[in-house]
Amino acid sequence: MGMTDKQFNGFIRFILDDIKEVIETMEDGKGKEKLQKVAENLQQTLED
C-alpha cells in the first residue's frame, strides 16, 4: 500500500522538523554540515 502525496509531505515535514531540532543542538563540523544538506534536500522536495 502506497502513500498519498499529502501523507508523504506530512512524513517529510515530520522528519525535517526533527532534523532541524538536532541541528540546533549540534556543534559546527562535518556532521552538522551533512545534516543541513539533508534538511535542504528535504525542504526542496516539499517545494517541488
Side-chain angles (χ1 to χ4, degrees):
M1 180 173 187
M3 287 183 170
T4 65
D5 287 347
K6 212 171 198 180
Q7 289 171 322
F8 179 72
N9 285 344
F11 174 73
I12 296 296
R13 282 188 185 94
F14 176 76
I15 298 298
L16 185 57
D17 185 51
D18 284 347
I19 288 174
K20 286 179 179 180
E21 275 186 42
V22 171
I23 288 171
E24 289 176 10
T25 65
M26 292 178 76
E27 294 183 19
D28 289 340
K30 281 202 177 248
K32 185 173 183 175
E33 289 175 19
K34 282 191 100 154
L35 205 50
Q36 286 173 326
K37 183 162 177 109
V38 169
E40 290 170 9
N41 288 338
L42 290 171
Q43 184 64 48
Q44 186 63 41
T45 298
L46 287 174
E47 294 171 5
D48 287 344

